[in-house]
Amino acid sequence: MNGIPSNVHFAAGESKSIKNTYKVEPISYSNGDILSGYILKTGAFWKDTIGHAKVTFDLGNIKPYEISRIFPFSMKYEGENKLVWERSNFEPEFDLEIMYNKYRYDIDTLQNQDYIDKESLQAAIDEVKKFEELKSKLAGMSKDELMKHYTRYLEDEKIGIAKYIQSKLPENPTKGKGPVIKEISVNEGMINCIAENENRDYAVAKLKVTHTENGVKTVDYDDSLDVNYLSGKSQINHGLYIDLSTDKKYDIEYLIKDSYGNMDVKKIKYPFEQDEQNGTIFPESSGEISNDANIPETEENITNDTSYLLPEINYDDGTNKIKISFVAEKRNQNIILLFVNAFS
C-alpha cells in the first residue's frame, strides 16, 4: 500500500476524529499459507507514546484449525471469528501477524484433486471433525478441562484452536508472567540464547555483542532477532554465528520482551573470565547437583577429623562438560569445604 497524502485543516486547539479506509492484499505462499497482519512499528515515529490502540481482525469464515500463527500471542478471540489486540500507553516495536491456510482443510476441493494422497485427506477430515466435536462441548467444560485441552493443543502447535479455547476460560491462564532468560552459551562462535515464558508471548528479541580494544569500544553485532515464528512456544532458542576472535574479550547482551513490555536482560563475558584463586568464573545457572552422596543431615553430625564426600557438581555449558568433587571436613569446630577434583 502506498501512502495517500491528504490535507486536513485544523483550527487552533481543534481536535478531529479521522477515519482511514484502505485495502491491502495478504502475502500468499506456494503451500497455501496466507500471511496477513497490521503494521504498528511506524507508530514509533509519532510524538510520545500511543495512548490507546485496538486492532480487530475479522476472520470471516477462517476457522481456528486453519490458523497456524498468531503474533503476538497476546491476541484474544472475541466471539467466534474475531481476533483482537489491544494496548494502552505504548511505543510499538513489532507488527501484528496472522498466518492461516484454508486450502489444507478445504475438504470438497481436496477430494477432487488426484494428486492428494488419501492419508493427508483423511487427516484433514479427522481434524475438522475433531474440532467441531470439541467446540460443541466447550461450554459445558470446567476450567480444569479447558486448561487441559488448551495446553494439549499448544503442545501440538495448533495455535488457532488453543487461542479459541483460551477465549472460553474465565481469565488469561498465565496473566502477567513475562519472559525469563535461562541461558546464554557460546560454542565456537555460535551464540545460543534460551528463554522461557509461561505466557508464551515473545514480541522483541535483541542481541548485542561488543569488545573493547585499546580503550575503543567496537560493536560486533547489534540487531533484532526474529520471534514471529516462535509465537506460542513455552521455550525459544536463538542461535546466531558470529566470528569471535580468540584474542579479544567480548560482552554479550541478550534482551527478550513480551508484547506488554515485560522483559529480561542477561549479560555475559566471553571468553569466561579467570580468577587467579578460584579458576574459571562460569556463567550463571552453572549445572545440576546429583544427590547420590551420603551427606550428614546436620552440622552436629559432622565430627572432628572426619571427611564427607559432597554431591558431585555436573557442569555443562554446551562446550565443556566438567564434574567437580568436594569434601566437607570439621576442624576445630569449623566446617571446611575442600576442592577435590575436576575432570571432563
Side-chain angles (χ1 to χ4, degrees):
M1 181 190 71
N2 296 321
I4 303 174
S6 58
N7 297 318
V8 180
H9 176 73
F10 284 86
E14 181 185 8
S15 296
K16 289 184 178 181
S17 295
I18 300 174
K19 182 179 179 180
N20 257 338
T21 302
Y22 53 88
K23 182 179 180 180
V24 294
E25 293 295 330
I27 300 172
S28 299
Y29 296 90
S30 58
N31 65 349
D33 283 345
I34 297 175
L35 180 64
S36 185
Y38 184 77
I39 296 174
L40 281 175
K41 287 191 290 189
T42 51
F45 296 104
W46 298 1
K47 182 182 178 183
D48 301 326
T49 58
I50 295 176
H52 182 79
K54 181 177 182 179
V55 181
T56 302
F57 292 92
D58 189 334
L59 302 174
N61 62 353
I62 300 172
K63 304 298 183 183
Y65 51 79
E66 296 172 336
I67 298 175
S68 59
R69 181 191 302 174
I70 297 175
F71 178 82
F73 196 66
S74 54
M75 282 196 217
K76 299 178 181 179
Y77 256 95
E78 280 191 3
E80 297 298 307
N81 66 342
K82 287 183 173 63
L83 275 170
V84 176
W85 186 84
E86 189 171 10
R87 242 188 95 182
S88 299
N89 301 318
F90 72 104
E91 185 168 300
E93 300 179 82
F94 52 87
D95 297 326
L96 310 181
E97 288 185 0
I98 297 175
M99 180 174 281
Y100 60 95
N101 190 317
K102 293 192 65 62
Y103 172 76
R104 191 174 294 141
Y105 300 97
D106 187 349
I107 307 301
D108 292 337
T109 300
L110 294 177
Q111 287 175 332
N112 295 319
Q113 302 293 336
D114 295 334
Y115 57 86
I116 298 296
D117 63 273
K118 292 183 178 180
E119 288 186 4
S120 298
L121 175 59
Q122 190 59 49
I125 293 173
D126 291 343
E127 187 165 348
V128 172
K129 182 180 178 181
K130 187 177 180 180
F131 171 75
E132 294 300 335
E133 290 176 351
L134 174 67
K135 181 181 175 182
S136 66
K137 299 175 182 178
L138 290 177
M141 288 185 182
S142 66
K143 180 179 178 180
D144 289 342
E145 289 175 311
L146 288 169
M147 278 299 300
K148 181 180 177 180
H149 286 289
Y150 170 73
T151 303
R152 181 168 63 83
Y153 276 105
L154 279 177
E155 290 173 351
D156 292 341
E157 298 186 354
K158 303 295 184 181
I159 302 300
I161 298 177
K163 267 295 169 187
Y164 183 81
I165 296 173
Q166 186 189 51
S167 70
K168 309 303 178 184
L169 286 161
E171 60 181 14
N172 189 331
T174 53
K175 185 179 181 180
K177 295 186 178 180
V180 176
I181 298 171
K182 306 300 291 185
E183 179 185 347
I184 302 177
S185 62
V186 184
N187 184 5
E188 297 181 353
M190 178 61 73
I191 301 175
N192 285 297
C193 307
I194 300 174
E196 293 180 353
N197 188 353
E198 289 186 53
N199 211 23
R200 299 173 183 259
D201 179 23
Y202 307 95
V204 177
K206 294 181 180 180
L207 180 67
K208 186 174 184 178
V209 180
T210 62
H211 74 274
T212 301
E213 194 171 10
N214 299 323
V216 179
K217 186 176 182 178
T218 300
V219 178
D220 300 274
Y221 184 89
D222 186 8
D223 205 353
S224 297
L225 305 174
D226 189 8
V227 291
N228 302 41
Y229 70 100
L230 300 169
S231 182
K233 296 184 181 296
S234 60
Q235 184 181 90
I236 62 173
N237 185 351
H238 277 120
L240 185 70
Y241 179 80
I242 299 177
D243 189 12
L244 302 177
S245 174
T246 56
D247 60 352
K248 295 184 176 67
K249 293 183 178 181
Y250 295 90
D251 292 302
I252 301 174
E253 177 180 315
Y254 178 58
L255 175 149
I256 189 78
K257 185 185 295 188
D258 68 14
S259 61
Y260 292 100
N262 303 310
M263 70 177 182
D264 193 15
V265 180
K266 188 178 181 69
K267 301 177 182 179
I268 67 167
K269 293 184 179 295
Y270 181 82
F272 305 127
E273 291 184 335
Q274 298 285 327
D275 184 284
E276 292 182 359
Q277 294 182 341
N278 301 318
T280 300
I281 301 176
F282 295 118
E284 296 176 22
S285 62
S286 56
E288 298 179 356
I289 300 178
S290 60
N291 57 4
D292 53 358
N294 183 20
I295 307 172
E297 294 181 0
T298 63
E299 179 178 324
E300 288 74 17
N301 292 336
I302 301 180
T303 58
N304 283 329
D305 303 320
T306 303
S307 299
Y308 292 91
L309 181 65
L310 296 180
E312 236 172 35
I313 295 178
N314 297 304
Y315 174 80
D316 184 357
D317 67 356
T319 304
N320 305 294
K321 293 183 178 180
I322 303 173
K323 291 185 178 180
I324 308 174
S325 301
F326 293 90
V327 164
E329 290 187 357
K330 191 168 186 178
R331 299 178 184 175
N332 299 324
Q333 306 304 314
N334 294 317
I335 303 296
I336 299 175
L337 188 66
L338 302 175
F339 173 78
V340 178
N341 192 17
F343 54 95
S344 58

